[in-house]
Amino acid sequence: MRDDLIIPFQVGDGSVRGRIVRLGAAIDAVLRPHGFSDAVSELLGEAAALTALMGAGLKFDGKLIFQAQGEGDVRLLVADYCSDGALRATASVRGGENARGLAALMGKGHIALTIDQGPDMDRYQGVTPIEGETLEQAAIGYFDQSEQIPTAVRLAVGKITRRGEEAVWRAGGVIAQFMPAEGGTRARGEAVSAPQQDRETWDRAAAFLNSTQADELLDPALSPEELLYRLYHEDGVRVFEARPVRAACGCNASKIAAVLARYSEEELADLAVDGAISVDCEFCRRTYLFDTQGREAAQ
Ligand SMILES: [Zn+2]
């Protein structure tokens, strides 16, 4: 079984570029500690898979942060992916959540994508309104509006149960984009020699991807390479080196202690219960304990 990885690929001569992500233990570790309903877990898992797919496309080391804010039962979705493969995600939920999908759960709102290259670099942020029923449609709209890149996206999240074992979350996804200027056989700036042919390759690639079923994206018995071959063998598909993904959170006691240090003695006393201040990380749900001076308590 090949899980927890992202594989870049190209179709035809390279005018179609994409990445496939397959998440097993990593997405289970991201979703399970939150204990959200299935509907919220599915949406958050989609956001995490999309963030990994987009973050792995960065051409430099950095972090991609996905944030969706809405007025519905889910107020906030956050996922971030670092170039070293660390993925984490969280949501803020106010209850209800009988519906499924982005629009039904979040209502009106917007999606912001931030690229963070470290403290000395400018942050880039693109913002788009939540449009379409699904996160897939919203992502396609984002690329259309902010980058004018024709894009196809498929995302799937589901629980798999093996006999005698607890159900585990899995996620899968594919992003494909039409980038004729980056065709592999052409020098940069050289005129596109066969634009019509490139366009047809793209139309086929998008149509095949859109016909992909959720179970193909999730099936542990179908490797990502086999799925890509199934989709794109007609035009030829070339896969590049896989990149690992893991569930990892950057929280630690000293970061939280630095935040507590800004509070007054009275404020710290108000936060304390039975002489201890308890702080939960909203991403990994780990609990940190501090004394009433904001010093880390022995765990
Ligand atoms: Zn954490």
Side-chain angles (χ1 to χ4, degrees), residues 225-260:
E225 292 89 346
E226 284 170 323
L227 176 55
L228 289 175
Y229 182 79
R230 188 184 280 186
L231 288 172
Y232 298 129
H233 64 94
E234 204 177 301
D235 285 297
V237 55
R238 189 173 155 202
V239 300
F240 300 96
E241 195 181 345
R243 302 170 63 148
V245 182
R246 66 187 200 286
C249 186
C251 67
N252 61 52
S254 47
K255 281 186 193 171
I256 298 169
V259 175
L260 292 179

Side-chain angles (χ1 to χ4, degrees), residues 88-105:
R88 61 180 193 166
T90 190
S92 172
V93 178
R94 67 171 170 190
E97 32 173 301
N98 295 312
R100 272 190 151 71
L102 179 73
L105 283 169

Side-chain angles (χ1 to χ4, degrees), residues 144-259:
D144 187 42
Q145 286 167 31
S146 69
E147 306 190 18
Q148 284 89 45
I149 301 174
T151 300
V153 178
R154 284 286 287 126
L155 300 167
V157 177
K159 264 195 224 170
I160 288 198
T161 314
R162 289 205 187 77
R163 196 194 305 238
E165 291 176 20
E166 211 181 338
V168 291
W169 288 104
R170 291 184 64 76
V174 181
I175 188 168
Q177 298 188 298
F178 184 39
M179 304 177 121
E182 297 194 17
T185 54
R186 286 176 215 118
R188 189 162 280 281
E190 189 182 335
V192 175
S193 54
Q196 185 58 31
Q197 194 186 327
D198 281 349
R199 172 56 73 171
E200 286 166 9
T201 304
W202 164 247
D203 287 344
R204 269 195 302 276
F208 287 146
L209 181 53
N210 290 333
S211 72
T212 312
Q213 301 298 307
D215 57 354
E216 292 177 290
L217 295 164
L218 296 175
D219 185 355
L222 179 67
S223 78
E225 292 89 346
E226 284 170 323
L227 176 55
L228 289 175
Y229 182 79
R230 188 184 280 186
L231 288 172
Y232 298 129
H233 64 94
E234 204 177 301
D235 285 297
V237 55
R238 189 173 155 202
V239 300
F240 300 96
E241 195 181 345
R243 302 170 63 148
V245 182
R246 66 187 200 286
C249 186
C251 67
N252 61 52
S254 47
K255 281 186 193 171
I256 298 169
V259 175

Side-chain angles (χ1 to χ4, degrees), residues 88 248-252 256 280-288:
R88 61 180 193 166
C249 186
C251 67
N252 61 52
I256 298 169
D280 285 346
C281 172
E282 59 188 353
F283 282 94
C284 67
R285 301 291 175 186
R286 188 179 154 179
T287 300
Y288 294 89

Side-chain angles (χ1 to χ4, degrees), residues 6 48 51-58 60-66 79-88 114-118 243-250 255:
I6 299 170
T51 303
L53 279 174
M54 293 176 63
L58 297 179
F60 41 78
D61 284 348
K63 183 191 265 190
L64 183 85
I65 304 157
F66 168 101
D80 61 48
Y81 168 86
C82 284
S83 313
D84 66 359
L87 180 66
R88 61 180 193 166
T114 306
I115 296 168
D116 185 351
Q117 289 182 261
R243 302 170 63 148
V245 182
R246 66 187 200 286
C249 186
K255 281 186 193 171

